[in-house]
Amino acid sequence: MKILVVEDEEHIAQGLVFNFELEQYQATVAPTGEEALRLFGEGDYDLILLDVMLPGIDGFEVARAIRQVDARVPILMLTAMAADEDRIAGLECGVDDYLTKPFVLKELMLRVAGLLRRAAWQAPATPDQRSFSFGQAEINPENLSAQIGARTHQLTRIEFDLLRYFMMRPGRLVSRKELLTAVWGYEPNTATRTVDTFVLRLRKIIEPHPSKPVFLISIRGAGYQFNPEI
Ligand code: CA
């Protein structure tokens, strides 16, 4: 497994490489966003660990540029503070999860392992992965696109998998724990707002009025429920 570590703080980058190598991953450091894009263009990476604050182009721009050519490679973003804007902005750029700095190393290693595990499922669409639709939406597994009326949105692999997970369980209560294990490949007790942030993101795509969702609704204290028929 090859990991691209995009981090300008040398001691953090070296610490990460050391720990990744202990886990038998191959890790390459890019100290700038420009270098990250150059290395990404040349290599075949299984995961990108991406710091937001970089000299030159920042992590958001790097994520956006990678997503233009690759909707599938997992991107784990390191954000400076627990700023909501950072988390939402990261998802808009196509990242698959984020961790706030300073992070706990064990937590980071667990997330990386989880994302790599799910990356192994990134097989091309098979015949049983037909396109699916609800309301005005038509979701295409082959190019991970969501056609909503006249608009087309490019989904990332994880956005697509999350949507499909809901779609296959219409009307059922789905808990955050279940989603973290099934979609992200994480341990169920992972402390993160990842699921909620992704649901907000999906609502912006699929809901006619994202602040008053009708398809993807919250069940207070329990999780979410997807209602394809409205
Ligand atoms: Ca930095």
Side-chain angles (χ1 to χ4, degrees):
M1 291 288 188
K2 286 174 69 183
I3 300 176
L4 182 58
V5 178
V6 189
E7 171 61 85
D8 58 314
E9 286 161 78
E10 207 184 331
H11 66 286
I12 297 181
Q14 291 314 320
L16 288 169
V17 168
F18 177 79
N19 282 282
F20 285 146
E21 287 176 350
L22 285 181
E23 297 291 324
Q24 312 294 323
Y25 304 139
Q26 241 181 292
T28 306
V29 176
T32 65
E34 288 82 353
E35 181 68 358
L37 293 179
R38 191 186 67 76
L39 287 168
F40 181 76
E42 288 176 353
D44 194 13
Y45 292 95
D46 299 294
L47 184 137
I48 316 289
L49 183 66
L50 180 59
D51 189 29
V52 173
M53 300 286 283
L54 297 165
I57 64 171
D58 65 14
F60 298 129
E61 241 178 285
V62 173
R64 223 177 279 126
I66 288 175
R67 282 292 175 243
Q68 279 182 2
V69 293
D70 189 330
R72 293 164 189 267
V73 65
I75 303 179
L76 175 59
M77 183 169 258
L78 298 176
T79 63
M81 286 287 149
D84 277 2
E85 310 85 75
D86 268 14
R87 296 187 297 120
I88 305 278
L91 294 195
E92 304 267 318
C93 298
V95 314
D96 296 299
D97 199 7
Y98 52 82
L99 211 53
T100 49
K101 277 180 160 180
F103 53 82
V104 177
L105 182 68
K106 183 163 176 259
E107 182 64 33
L108 181 136
M109 299 304 283
L110 283 172
R111 302 271 182 109
V112 165
L115 287 170
L116 286 172
R117 216 165 26 239
R118 74 170 297 286
W121 311 338
Q122 295 186 2
T126 52
D128 63 316
Q129 295 185 342
R130 287 183 303 264
S131 61
F132 55 85
S133 53
F134 56 91
Q136 297 269 299
E138 179 80 30
I139 314 297
N140 181 343
E142 272 174 49
N143 58 11
L144 305 181
S145 70
Q147 181 84 34
I148 319 282
R151 294 169 299 143
T152 305
H153 297 266
Q154 178 65 52
L155 302 174
T156 63
R157 181 72 210 190
I158 223 158
E159 286 166 350
F160 172 82
D161 285 351
L162 181 59
L163 196 49
R164 189 176 57 184
Y165 194 86
F166 279 121
M167 188 66 197
M168 290 171 76
R169 291 158 185 81
R172 211 195 83 186
L173 169 67
V174 180
S175 71
R176 291 174 179 80
K177 274 187 186 179
E178 179 179 344
L179 291 166
L180 279 177
T181 46
V183 179
W184 277 266
Y186 291 166
E187 303 292 325
N189 53 358
T190 305
T192 173
R193 289 168 62 191
T194 300
V195 171
D196 307 80
T197 316
F198 266 82
V199 165
L200 290 179
R201 165 89 184 123
L202 276 187
R203 281 181 181 151
K204 281 176 86 169
I205 297 173
I206 64 167
E207 295 284 354
H209 305 288
S211 59
K212 294 195 181 93
V214 289
F215 293 114
L216 195 44
I217 61 171
S218 301
I219 308 292
R220 190 177 281 269
Y224 296 99
Q225 187 184 45
F226 183 68
N227 299 311
E229 318 277 350
I230 56 157

